[in-house]
């Protein structure tokens, strides 16, 4: 008898990962909070005027990098509807678009911050929290579960608790916290990820911002599927925030929402928030298959991406 | 350079075997990620892979102080709705630098631990297979916790049909001329040293898990037979003690079921010597013979008892 | 099954009796282990005649394990191979495993119940329950953080069966104290209920064991004067009444161990050889241990009161 090469496949045993359409860069033109809105459209115009030259620079630098100058650049704008709710999409969105147009900026996508917590029944924030792999302090050998202070994440080792360990045993003395990969001296960062009040969890602003970055980098999946797809705008904007899609595409000709890299142009007052975002993102384990997928895609276009995802994120504080 | 792993295997803490759907729920360790299940030739369900960060001493036969940092990849699995495993492994690679890198560097290489400084692959492998230092990389503790997660699931009733120790199998895989050595240490500890041609693939870890599973089955059957004290106790008593083996273990022996074709030669060589399947078969025959003898005696007693 | 051995007062015979119970339970064919949670004075090794851990282990013991001092698994001693007593060093045919988990030599009492310690305790109980038919825990004397820890741990292991044995001597003070430990303010029931146990269900899982009991009609008392014997009888009767008033009486008593001269002289396991060959121990004592070793797992002996 000749030998037969049999193959047997089982769908449930195989893993399939959807791929996201990707631009070269996703530029965040701004981030709108209640107080900005209350300050009126002039404040918005002021912000867009500051952002415009930087956006232009990034756009042209990518055009130089990509053969034929065909860089895919998309722009987005995030509105806070999570920590405070104000006005309605119908009133607010046109105002934002108008202010941007006044400064020769096109907003391709508009997103709601609360979508970073939950979107279409998918708890994106939870998804990211589950993928945190704590930065281990030296002498972490796996024998103990990672030290997790519920709701907090740091970049090193916290100060040990002061007190005794055993009856009549030696007392612990105070010691400073330490950053793990410090260069000479520590810059120890401890970030609050969420708090809970009466059983209701509120995610912190840096944590949602970290989710936002991951969405823009197209690195999140749920059951192998993309957790969120931009929805094309309709003629009128709704009167309540819930009816506004998580991410809405405003410009029909826009390049894809997610991108290999991101740029955010922000006011310097966001500096501490973004340090916290970086602390979080450097401890998020993105699925290995997704990482490989993105590297293969960019490689196919002749683009070498930074290995570490925090290095794919850049900022201008202006 | 080389891959180190450790698999812990135990009896699922439930009175009966659990169905595929419960396996899925129990192994749902990561939101947004599916439990993978294969049904042929035996139901096997495995959790998504999870990472644990480490930065510690690595084993070394020459007792050198070698430091490594990176992540360990782990998963829990259930075979036949009855046997549970916690498995961890990590690829040890040389690092470009002597310094500890920012954590994002390591997360870009899931399942890799980078050695800071110089190291000899052989020294590491020997150190790991022998007696790793207590403060060194402890894959066993990580695997034990991945087993605990399953055992402590509220979906299990915790009324296991018999008490049995977990076994641990520590393995090292290197590249080279194909070879495998399986060593029994204490009652619970085993090591496997495996040499494979070409690059390491996760299929090697699958093979080690499959070996660990079958070694546990053999160990468990031996324990049950010893407890039954065949010949030392009255027949019916021995039969009662053997019953759990028939109810829960005998149908689970499926060597090489999930092993990649390329690697099945390793199983075959172990089956030639020491001959796992041969030993299993002889134990199974012993259990079945014992039960048959007992049944005969029982029938004879029933029919003859009336006549006398 | 987890069994917690506790007493209100020290020196009641808790350790000697509980070790003898596990030893008998192993001889009856079960896999058993003994955890020395008497952290202030971990000396169970001495009773099992394992000299290397007579005052606790110098390796990673239970203290290290619970306080997280880098030990993933606490040191285990296989009594059948490591005991210094020749009679214990071979596992009798049909006997189960007999494993001791010693505390640390020089270890101290727990200072408080930290979440991390509690988590490790739960993990330990859960893993041992997977492996052993019976896990005996010497919880030490009186109200302690150790008792608090195991009360909390068992709340987190709802499907793992557990029982408590409260050891006391047959005297006025001991009877009152044993009852107080169970039903008094901040006693087992109070504290247990606070941690989430159902008070009545917990009550049903507690039984008393009388240690070193001298029966008025015992052989040892043959030489006594009539007046002395009469006094002893009166005393015993009074104690019985006292005991039943304190609900420490017959119904909630699981067993009693007679006073045995050899135990008065040395804390040790009583083997069949001690009874039959060298005849240094009383057969009644061995039988009482054997009986208790059966009763601790006999559901009929634990039916609701
Ligand atoms: N049945 C008995 N007959 C005679 N003496 C006994 C008996 N049981 C125990 N003893 C003795 O009583 C003393 C105290 O016993 P043991 O050390 O077991 O008590 P304990 O309650 O564990 O004490 P501690 O609280 O100090 O740990 C020991 O010397 C022991 O040998
Ligand atoms: Mg004691």
């Amino acid at each position: 008898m000749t030998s037969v090469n049999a193959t047997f496949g089982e769908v449930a045993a195989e893993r399939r990962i959807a791929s996201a359409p990707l631009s070269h860069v996703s530029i965040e033109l701004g981030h709108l909070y209640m107080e900005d809105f209350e300050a009126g459209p002039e404040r918005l115009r002021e912000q867009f005027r500051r952002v415009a030259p930087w956006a232009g620079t990034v756009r042209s630098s990518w055009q130089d990098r990509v053969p034929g100058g065909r860089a895919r650049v998309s722009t987005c704008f995030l509105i806070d509807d999570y920590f405070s709710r104000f006005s309605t999409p119908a009133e607010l969105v046109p105002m934002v678009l108008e202010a941007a147009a006044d400064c020769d900026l096109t907003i391709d996508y508009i997103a709601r911050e609360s979508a970073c917590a939950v979107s279409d029944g998918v708890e994106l924030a939870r998804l990211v929290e589950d993928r945190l792999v704590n930065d281990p302090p030296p002498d972490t050998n796996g024998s103990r579960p990672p030290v997790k202070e519920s709701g907090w994440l740091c970049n090193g080792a916290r100060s040990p608790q002061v007190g005794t360990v055993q009856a009549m045993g030696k007392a612990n003395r105070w010691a400073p916290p330490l950053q793990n990969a410090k260069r000479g001296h520590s810059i120890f960062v401890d970030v609050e990820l969420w708090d809970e009040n009466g059983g209701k969890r509120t995610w912190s602003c840096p944590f949602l911002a970290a989710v936002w970055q991951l969405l823009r980098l197209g690195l999140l999946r749920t059951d192998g599927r993309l957790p969120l797809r931009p929805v094309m705008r309709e003629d009128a904007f709704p009167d309540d925030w819930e009816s506004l899609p998580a991410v809405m595409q405003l410009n029909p000709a826009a390049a894809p929402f997610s991108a290999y890299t991101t740029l955010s142009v922000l006011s310097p007052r966001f500096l501490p928030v973004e340090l916290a975002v970086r602390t979080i993102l450097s401890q998020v384990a993105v699925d290995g298959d997704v990482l490989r997928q993105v590297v293969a895609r960019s490689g196919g276009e002749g683009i070498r991406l930074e290995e570490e995802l925090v290095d794919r994120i850049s900022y201008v504080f202006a | 350079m080389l891959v180190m792993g450790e698999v812990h295997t135990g009896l699922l803490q439930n009175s009966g075997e659990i169905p595929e759907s419960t396996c899925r729920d129990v192994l749902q360790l990561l939101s947004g990620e599916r439990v993978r299940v294969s049904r042929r030739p035996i139901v096997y369900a495995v959790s998504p892979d999870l990472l644990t960060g480490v930065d510690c001493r690595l084993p070394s036969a020459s007792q050198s102080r070698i430091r490594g940092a990176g992540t360990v990849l782990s998963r829990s699995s259930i075979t036949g709705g009855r046997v549970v495993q916690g498995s961890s492994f990590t690829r040890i690679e040389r690092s470009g630098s002597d310094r500890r890198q920012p954590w994002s560097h390591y997360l870009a290489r899931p399942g890799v631990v980078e050695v800071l400084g110089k190291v000899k692959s052989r020294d590491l492998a020997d150190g790991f297979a022998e007696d790793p230092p207590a403060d060194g990389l402890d894959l066993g503790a990580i695997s034990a916790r991945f087993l605990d997660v399953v055992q402590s699931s509220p979906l299990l009733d915790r009324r296991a049909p018999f008490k049995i120790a977990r076994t641990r199998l520590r393995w090292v895989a290197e590249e080279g001329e194909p070879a495998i050595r399986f060593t029994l240490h204490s009652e619970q500890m085993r090591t496997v040293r495996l040499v494979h041609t070409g690059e390491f693939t996760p299929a090697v870890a699958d093979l080690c898990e499959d070996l660990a599973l079958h070694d546990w089955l053999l160990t468990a059957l031996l324990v049950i037979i010893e407890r039954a004290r065949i010949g030392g106790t009255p027949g019916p008593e021995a039969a009662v003690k053997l019953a759990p083996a028939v109810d829960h273990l005998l149908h689970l022996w499926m060597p090489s079921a999930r092993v990649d074709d390329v690697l099945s030669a390793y199983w075959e060589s172990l089956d030639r010597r020491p001959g796992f399947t041969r030993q299993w078969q002889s134990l199974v025959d012993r259990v079945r013979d014992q039960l048959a003898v007992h049944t005969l005696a029982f029938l004879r007693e029933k029919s003859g008892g009336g006549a006398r | 099954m987890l069994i917690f051995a506790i007493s209100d007062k020290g020196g009641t015979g808790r350790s000697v009796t509980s070790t003898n119970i596990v030893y008998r339970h192993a001889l009856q064919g079960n896999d058993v282990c003994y955890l020395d949670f008497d952290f202030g004075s971990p000396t169970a090794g001495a009773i099992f005649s394992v000299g290397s851990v007579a005052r606790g282990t110098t390796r990673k013991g239970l203290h290290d394990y619970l306080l997280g001092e880098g030990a993933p698994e606490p040191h285990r001693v296989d009594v059948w191979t490591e005991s210094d007593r020749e009679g214990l060093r071979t596992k009798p045919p049909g006997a189960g495993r007999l494993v001791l988990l010693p505390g640390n030599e020089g270890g101290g009492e727990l200072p408080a119940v930290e979440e991390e310690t509690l988590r490790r305790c739960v993990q330990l109980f859960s893993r041992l329950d997977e492996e052993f038919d019976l896990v005996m825990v010497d919880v030490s004397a009186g109200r302690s953080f150790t008792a608090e820890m195991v009360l909390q741990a068992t709340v987190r292991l709802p499907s793992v069966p557990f029982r408590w044995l409260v050891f006391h001597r047959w005297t006025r003070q001991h009877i009152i104290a044993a009852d107080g430990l169970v039903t008094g303010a901040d006693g087992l029931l109070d504290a247990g209920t606070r941690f989430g146990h159902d008070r009545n269900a917990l009550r049903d899982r507690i039984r008393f064991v009388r240690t070193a009991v001298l029966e008025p009609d015992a052989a040892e008392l043959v030489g006594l004067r009539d007046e002395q014997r009469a006094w002893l009888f009166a005393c015993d009767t009074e104690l019985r009444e006292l005991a039943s008033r304190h609900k420490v009486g017959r119904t909630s008593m699981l067993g009693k161990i007679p006073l045995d001269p050899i135990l008065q002289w040395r804390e040790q396991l009583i083997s069949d050889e001690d009874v039959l060959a060298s005849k240094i121990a009383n057969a009644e004592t061995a039988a009482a241990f054997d009986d208790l070793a059966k009763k601790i797992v006999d559901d009929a002996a634990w039916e609701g009161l």
Side-chain angles (χ1 to χ4, degrees), chain B residues 10-11 13 134 138 141 144-145 147-148 151 156-158 162-166 168 187-188 226-227 229, chain C residues 1 29 31 70 72-73 76 78 91 93-95 97 123 125-127 129-133 157 159-160:
Chain B
L11 179 70
Q13 294 300 296
D138 194 343
R145 287 197 298 274
L147 212 146
D148 288 340
Q151 302 289 44
L156 304 182
D157 64 20
R158 271 210 86 104
F162 52 93
K163 302 282 177 178
I164 191 89
R166 300 175 179 182
R168 319 148 160 213
E187 268 175 82
Q188 277 90 38
E226 193 200 311
R227 283 183 191 154
R229 295 182 63 216
Chain C
M1 162 103 56
D31 287 354
E73 290 292 340
R76 287 180 176 205
D78 175 16
K91 186 169 122 179
R97 297 165 68 203
Q123 173 181 290
F125 287 167
S126 169
R127 287 182 184 173
D129 175 62
E130 208 175 305
E131 189 174 343
F132 293 96
D133 296 296
L157 293 164
S159 330
V160 176

Side-chain angles (χ1 to χ4, degrees), chain B residues 91-205:
Chain B
R91 311 157 78 126
I92 310 287
E93 286 177 5
R94 287 192 182 83
S95 130
S97 124
D98 288 358
R99 297 179 59 92
R100 161 74 138 84
Q101 301 296 309
W103 189 233
S104 46
H105 169 86
Y106 301 103
L107 285 187
R109 297 159 181 73
V112 171
V113 164
E114 286 188 350
V115 180
L116 313 187
K118 285 195 194 41
V119 67
K120 286 202 191 70
S121 170
R122 174 48 51 86
D123 185 41
L124 277 177
D126 290 350
F128 188 68
E130 282 155 25
D131 207 6
D135 58 346
L137 178 63
D138 194 343
L139 296 180
I142 301 176
S143 295
R145 287 197 298 274
F146 273 81
L147 212 146
D148 288 340
V149 174
V150 174
Q151 302 289 44
S152 58
S153 164
L155 299 172
L156 304 182
D157 64 20
R158 271 210 86 104
R159 293 203 307 272
F162 52 93
K163 302 282 177 178
I164 191 89
R166 300 175 179 182
T167 55
R168 319 148 160 213
L169 182 144
R170 195 186 296 146
W171 57 273
V172 191
E174 294 166 275
E175 277 176 48
E177 273 302 299
I180 188 164
R181 195 166 81 221
F182 188 105
T183 315
L184 284 179
H185 294 254
S186 65
E187 268 175 82
Q188 277 90 38
M189 186 72 213
R190 291 93 178 81
T191 53
V192 166
R193 293 196 66 161
L194 187 147
V195 188
H196 53 89
T197 47
E199 284 235 337
F200 170 85
T201 67
V204 173

Side-chain angles (χ1 to χ4, degrees), chain C residues 178-190:
Chain C
D179 174 40
L181 175 64
V182 176
T183 59
D186 293 334
L188 292 180
L189 292 177
D190 261 15

